[in-house]
Amino acid sequence: MSLQRTVAELGVLIYPGAQMAAVHGLTDLFGVANRIAAEHQAAQLPLLRVSHWQVTGDLPPTRVYDSHPAPEQSLVAILIPPSIAGFTEGQAPPSLFHWLREQHASGATLGGVCVGSILLAESGLLDGRSATTHWTSAKGFAERYPAIKLKAETPIVDDGDLITTAGLMAWSELGLRLVDRLLGPSIATGTARFLVVEHSDSASECGSNFSPILSHGDAAILKVQHWLQSTGATEVSLSVMAQRAGLEERTFLRRFRAATGLKPTEYCQHLRVGKAREMLEFTNGTIDHIAWTVGYQDPSAFRATFRKITGLAPSDYRSRFGVGAGQS
């Protein structure tokens, strides 16, 4: 293994009642992905370092397992597994929610499975955002968290920095989504094939779903990114983004591209198309309505941008990857 290989640390949370099968399953999934990446001799890809974080009493989570012990570094993502017992008020201490907010503010992507989505909701991070949860919790979720746009019929809502899934076994798709982001769609597909689990092939055929770079360390730019994710980047301008960052426009442009690898306009296009892909896969709304929902007043401009990013027309994308694809 090259000494120059970068490391991406993924934290898996262990809270009271957490499904340990998911904790260990995610650990194994990332281990398989590492092995497949090594077999491809992909030294340019990061090594996935998996750590477990135990919630004990009123203390913040502490690391209790590390797949590749090394000096501490920022977490790229935190995954919150499900709980078969369901959610009970007081299941997690306030210190956990404070820790989750701190990690998110530092650039970590947070993913919640089933009850994990509820813990994210309890932290307040999902307010104003879209999310999903297990169907048995949907009614109570909607009543308890009215500020969250619940999509109970959608199995996974990938909102860039916050990902929620609905099924108890959806931890595998969440894990594969992160493998796709960090190691690429071919490694994710190979991992799914080895484990014999389902995985959408839209990423391998049309490019990964939009996965913004969040761990760059520029707090002003990260603040704007979180805002863009929460608003869907539907009505934004360079001046408004620069103002949000507290920077002069030229400085903002330079720092935004340095941090994210994209111009602000390109970033917003990818974000909007990512949301459109989800809607095309899981809803039956018209393409013109989807275009309007994700911020395009001109449907033809939406179609052109969608094809440019994915290589497919929106109608072809839906027929290939929509929930009814392949059904007679």
Side-chain angles (χ1 to χ4, degrees), residues 168-219:
L168 277 165
M169 300 303 291
W171 55 264
S172 60
E173 179 57 29
L174 175 60
L176 291 168
R177 187 68 62 104
L178 288 168
V179 171
D180 179 7
R181 287 189 179 194
L182 297 167
L183 302 181
S186 64
I187 303 297
T189 299
T191 302
R193 185 181 300 117
F194 181 87
L195 296 173
V196 197
V197 294
E198 291 188 8
H199 177 52
S200 171
D201 56 0
S202 64
S204 60
E205 294 194 30
C206 300
S208 301
N209 286 282
F210 182 53
S211 52
I213 297 172
L214 303 169
S215 55
H216 45 69
D218 190 328

Side-chain angles (χ1 to χ4, degrees), residues 29-179:
L29 185 151
F30 294 133
V32 169
N34 274 332
R35 192 179 74 187
I36 292 175
E39 290 172 352
H40 282 68
Q41 297 183 337
Q44 76 280 9
L45 297 176
L47 173 72
L48 302 185
R49 173 186 179 186
V50 185
S51 53
H52 295 173
W53 295 79
Q54 178 82 52
V55 177
T56 305
D58 294 328
L59 299 174
T62 55
R63 183 190 271 112
V64 293
Y65 168 80
D66 194 335
S67 65
H68 297 83
E72 288 195 17
Q73 61 185 56
S74 297
L75 290 166
V76 171
I78 298 166
L79 298 88
I80 309 176
S83 171
I84 294 177
F87 173 77
T88 56
E89 193 169 354
Q91 186 169 3
S95 57
L96 169 61
F97 304 128
H98 178 72
W99 184 77
L100 290 173
R101 291 190 293 268
E102 280 189 331
Q103 296 297 323
H104 181 255
S106 296
T109 296
L110 306 185
V113 182
C114 191
V115 167
S117 300
I118 298 178
L119 293 181
L120 284 179
E122 286 286 310
S123 75
L125 288 167
L126 288 175
D127 288 355
R129 306 289 289 271
S130 297
T132 188
T133 193
H134 194 270
W135 64 272
T136 60
S137 306
K139 185 175 184 294
F141 189 102
E143 293 172 351
R144 185 176 178 88
Y145 313 110
I148 299 173
K149 304 166 190 173
L150 180 63
K151 297 182 176 180
E153 75 290 346
T154 304
I156 183 167
V157 175
D158 185 342
D159 210 19
D161 55 330
L162 297 168
I163 308 172
T164 52
T165 63
L168 277 165
M169 300 303 291
W171 55 264
S172 60
E173 179 57 29
L174 175 60
L176 291 168
R177 187 68 62 104
L178 288 168
V179 171

Side-chain angles (χ1 to χ4, degrees), residues 280 287 302-303 306-307 312-322:
L280 288 165
I287 291 171
F302 165 72
R303 286 176 167 83
F306 191 93
R307 182 186 286 274
L312 289 175
S315 56
D316 293 336
Y317 185 93
R318 168 174 276 164
S319 65
R320 191 172 300 184
F321 305 115

